Every structure is written in structure tokens, then in C-alpha cells.
């Protein structure tokens, strides 16, 4: 017996249906009740044994509205952040966004890789060539402090948590060749594939990587929200990607789909 969890789209993308076909059965999982959520945090996540964590449980239950995935994310955030308060949890805009900032971006030491994670969320998968031709020009613009298309400081207002220094200005980036930057970032990124869950090899496509939807989707949301400040990084990235693939199709008609 095999069990797979996720939305219908998630299961299709993994090929689960292709393997099991008519043998597969779909069951809808209902949200936890407040008591079930409290029990999950106390027992499964071990929060009852720690007075600081135990004091956060009521705010976590209220914030997550019975969503097991969000409860698990928030439990990890609470365990990592010794200064986290119930009031801060109540002010979180969205648990998955805060997790993205605190547990993923915040742990990356390479500043250029942080910028890549921000912009590589737009395509469903990417290669070294795609990074060099499409994403690096935007990284160089952001790392130079050009806020015309994207101002990461705007994220802080949306998230309700500090995002200071997550996407910093990087002096000298503009003088480097796009291919040189892409190659260095790619080497660094491939090291993460076997170590973390937020990036993985793309299924069935050699030399391509993809961000986990749990990272990709909230990051795309942050980019789309830049439009509130009349900055259109999400649209610009999509247009650049479309132009890239159009050029590929023209130059190699046999691979056109």
C-alpha cells in the first residue's frame, strides 16, 4: 500500500496517478479541531515539555485554523526563535510566508543565492542557461540597489516580521559577467539539493532544478505583491522567461512543444 499527500495538482506532477491509476483512492483530510491541534503540538511536536513553547500553543492554534501543515511550520519557527511571542504569532500575515523568510532564506549564507531563490520562484523549473540568460540580469539590478522593479523592504510590511538584510546590496556585482555569476551560483545551489527540501532535481528533465512548491508559491506571492508599490518584478520576470523560451523554440524547432 502506498500513501501520497498533497493537492490533485501535486499528485499529478509527481506521476503518482501514472503508476497507480484506478487503484488510487482519494480521501479528503479535514482540518484539526482546536483540541486536535493542541494535542498535535503538545505531543507530536513535544511542546508540552517546554514552558516557553507551551505558552505559545493557544496563539498557534488560533493562527493556523486547524491546518496541520501550517501547525508544523509554526512549531519549527517557534522552536528556532527563542524570542518569539504570542503577540508576534497573532500578527503574522501568513505562516508559510514567515516560514519562508525565517527557515529558508534566513539560513542561506550566500547573498547572491538568496537573490536567486527570490527570482527563481517564477519558473516551475530552471537550468543553468535559464539562470544566466533570464534571472541574472534581475539579480544584478536588485543587488545594485535599484528599486525600480523590486523593493524587498516592502516584504516586511506584508509579513509582519523583520526582513532586514535578507536581500542586501552586493557591491561589485554589476562588474561581473552574467555567465560567471550564474556558474558560481549553480555550483552552490546544486550542493543544497541533497541537503535541504526546498530545491530538488526536476523530474524527467536532466540538468534542471525546481523549487519545492512550499517555497515557490509563497515567494511568488511576495513578488506579485510588489505591484502594490507599483513595482512589476513578477511581470518582468515572466516576460523575460517567455522571450527566452520563444527564442529557444525558434532556434530549435524540433524541440518545440
Amino acid at each position: 500500500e502506498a500513501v501520497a499527500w498533497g493537492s490533485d495538482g501535486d499528485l499529478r506532477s509527481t506521476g503518482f496517478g501514472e503508476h497507480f491509476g484506478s487503484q488510487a483512492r482519494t480521501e479528503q483530510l479535514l482540518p484539526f479541531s482546536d483540541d486536535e491541534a493542541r494535542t498535535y503540538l503538545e505531543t507530536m511536536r513535544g511542546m508540552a515539555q517546554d514552558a516557553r513553547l507551551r505558552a505559545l500553543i493557544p496563539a498557534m492554534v488560533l493562527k493556523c485554523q486547524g491546518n496541520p501543515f501550517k501547525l508544523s511550520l509554526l512549531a519549527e519557527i517557534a522552536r528556532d526563535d527563542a524570542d518569539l511571542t504570542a503577540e508576534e504569532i497573532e500578527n503574522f500575515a501568513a505562516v508559510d510566508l514567515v516560514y519562508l523568510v525565517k527557515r529558508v532564506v534566513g539560513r542561506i549564507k550566500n547573498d547572491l543565492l538568496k537573490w536567486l531563490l527570490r527570482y527563481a520562484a517564477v519558473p516551475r523549473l530552471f537550468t543553468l542557461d535559464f539562470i544566466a540568460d533570464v534571472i541574472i540580469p534581475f539579480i544584478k539590478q536588485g543587488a545594485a540597489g535599484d528599486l525600480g522593479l523590486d523593493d524587498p523592504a516592502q516584504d516586511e510590511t506584508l509579513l509582519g516580521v523583520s526582513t532586514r538584510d535578507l536581500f542586501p546590496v552586493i557591491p561589485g556585482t554589476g562588474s561581473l559577467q552574467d555567465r560567471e555569476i550564474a556558474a558560481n551560483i549553480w555550483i552552490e545551489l546544486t550542493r543544497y539539493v541533497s541537503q535541504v527540501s526546498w530545491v530538488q532535481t526536476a523530474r524527467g528533465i536532466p540538468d534542471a532544478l525546481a523549487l519545492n512548491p512550499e517555497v515557490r508559491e509563497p515567494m511568488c506571492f511576495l513578488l506579485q505583491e510588489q505591484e502594490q508599490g507599483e513595482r512589476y518584478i513578477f511581470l518582468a520576470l515572466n516576460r523575460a522567461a517567455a522571450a527566452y523560451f520563444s527564442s529557444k523554440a525558434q532556434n530549435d524547432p524540433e524541440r518545440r512543444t
Side-chain angles (χ1 to χ4, degrees), residues 41-43 45-51 53-54 57:
L41 293 173
E42 290 175 345
T43 59
R45 307 299 301 197
M47 296 181 65
Q49 310 304 317
D50 185 306
L53 295 175
R54 188 167 61 247
I57 289 177

Side-chain angles (χ1 to χ4, degrees), residues 123-178:
R124 291 191 178 276
L125 54 87
F126 49 88
T127 62
L128 173 58
D129 284 344
F130 184 91
I131 291 175
D133 293 346
V134 177
I135 298 180
I136 293 301
F138 291 99
I139 290 179
K140 292 172 76 171
Q141 184 174 339
D146 186 339
L147 306 180
L149 287 174
D150 181 24
D151 180 9
Q154 185 176 310
D155 299 346
E156 186 167 335
T157 302
L158 179 66
L159 293 170
V161 298
S162 176
T163 57
R164 186 174 303 172
D165 300 328
L166 280 183
F167 302 99
V169 170
I170 308 173
T173 304
S175 64
L176 300 176
Q177 296 296 316
D178 292 1

